Amino acid sequence: MTTPNQSLPRGSRPVFLLHGWSGSARTTWAPFHWNEELRNRGFNPHAVDLLGHGNAAAPHDPTAYADIASHTARAFEGHERVDVISFSMGAKITLALAARMPHRFRRIVLSGVGENVFRPERVGMVADSMEHGLSDAVPARVRDLAAMAFASGNDVLALAACMRRESTPITRDEVAAIEIPVLIAVGDQDSIAGDPSLAAALPNATVIRLPGIDHVGTPYARDFRSAAIEFLAQDEEET
């Protein structure tokens, strides 16, 4: 596992893996052979713990997460161009960085996102439930998200603070400026990602739908893993 302030071993084809909210490098990628399969294809994988998750720092102040994208970008230091495989919140961070510094990326893989990247996150009830405990009075979907955080092994108050960070959704104009190749993978049972209009906004995007896969199951789907690695393996002469 890698946190953004650690030095990284150099590789000819570095690929960074960014998990989603309440996940970690250990729980999202390690159990499902991502690292092994990437190494078998000649990549040098670095699974990053996002701020507030895993072994990364876990502040309880939402303002500490205001520019979580820049904090994450520190993991790329020492590498001129990188590939990224990302899920959910990690995919939103990847999009923000690709719009801000496209020269740093060769190819990116986004999963568990769609039209939702253009909408503000509505997270108050979930954060309240994590800070004050679960209640039967809140909707089932809110309880499910809060319960997922409690079971994640992460610092729950840090997860709540991360949720409460001030963030501005990316715009369609910003997305339209991302010209590098992008793969978007979304489960056909994913009710969080929304419709696939994100792909239409990107100049060079490919979309795959994962049959029978919901939002949480996306990074664990074999079809996603195979498609992501094949996508990154294209145009090797560019590395």
Side-chain angles (χ1 to χ4, degrees):
M1 293 179 289
T2 299
T3 55
N5 62 343
Q6 291 177 313
S7 60
L8 300 170
R10 293 179 181 274
S12 59
R13 299 168 63 193
V15 56
F16 288 78
L17 297 97
L18 306 185
H19 60 78
W21 176 82
S22 83
S24 69
R26 180 182 61 82
T27 60
T28 303
W29 312 110
F32 298 92
H33 310 294
W34 280 92
N35 290 337
E36 296 92 330
E37 294 194 24
L38 283 163
R39 289 191 187 101
N40 288 341
R41 294 298 298 270
F43 288 98
N44 186 9
H46 307 289
V48 175
D49 279 322
L50 301 177
L51 186 66
H53 299 73
N55 290 329
H60 292 178
D61 181 356
T63 63
Y65 300 86
D67 194 6
I68 193 172
S70 290
H71 185 275
T72 304
R74 296 175 195 167
F76 307 152
E77 292 176 0
H79 300 273
E80 184 177 355
R81 295 180 76 198
V82 302
D83 292 326
V84 175
I85 299 172
S86 55
F87 169 61
S88 197
M89 186 179 80
K92 291 183 178 182
I93 290 171
T94 300
L95 263 182
L97 290 174
R100 189 184 305 176
M101 49 179 75
H103 60 284
R104 296 298 306 277
F105 300 93
R106 191 180 71 94
R107 287 174 172 253
I108 60 176
V109 177
L110 312 172
S111 66
V113 290
E115 175 271 339
N116 66 320
V117 303
F118 302 119
R119 291 187 272 112
E121 296 180 355
R122 304 183 185 282
V123 298
M125 292 182 70
V126 179
D128 287 344
S129 295
M130 290 190 294
E131 292 164 344
H132 306 297
L134 297 174
S135 167
D136 291 338
V138 300
R141 183 172 176 179
V142 171
R143 289 201 307 275
D144 289 345
L145 286 171
M148 184 172 68
F150 281 114
S152 69
N154 289 306
D155 182 325
V156 174
L157 293 181
L159 294 182
C162 182
M163 263 197 162
R164 291 194 185 279
R165 72 192 185 281
E166 285 192 27
S167 60
T168 302
I170 198 166
T171 68
R172 293 180 188 275
D173 286 343
E174 289 172 320
V175 167
I178 300 172
E179 297 181 347
I180 59 173
V182 179
L183 176 68
I184 301 173
V186 183
D188 65 3
Q189 304 300 310
D190 189 335
S191 61
I192 292 177
D195 68 53
S197 60
L198 170 61
L202 285 159
N204 191 6
T206 302
V207 180
I208 61 167
R209 299 290 282 183
L210 305 171
I213 301 298
D214 62 9
H215 185 76
V216 174
T218 300
Y220 316 129
R222 177 177 291 276
D223 287 349
F224 170 46
R225 187 166 66 250
S226 298
I229 295 172
E230 289 301 323
F231 175 76
L232 295 188
Q234 296 177 40
D235 302 326
E236 295 179 13
E237 67 275 9
E238 296 180 3
T239 59

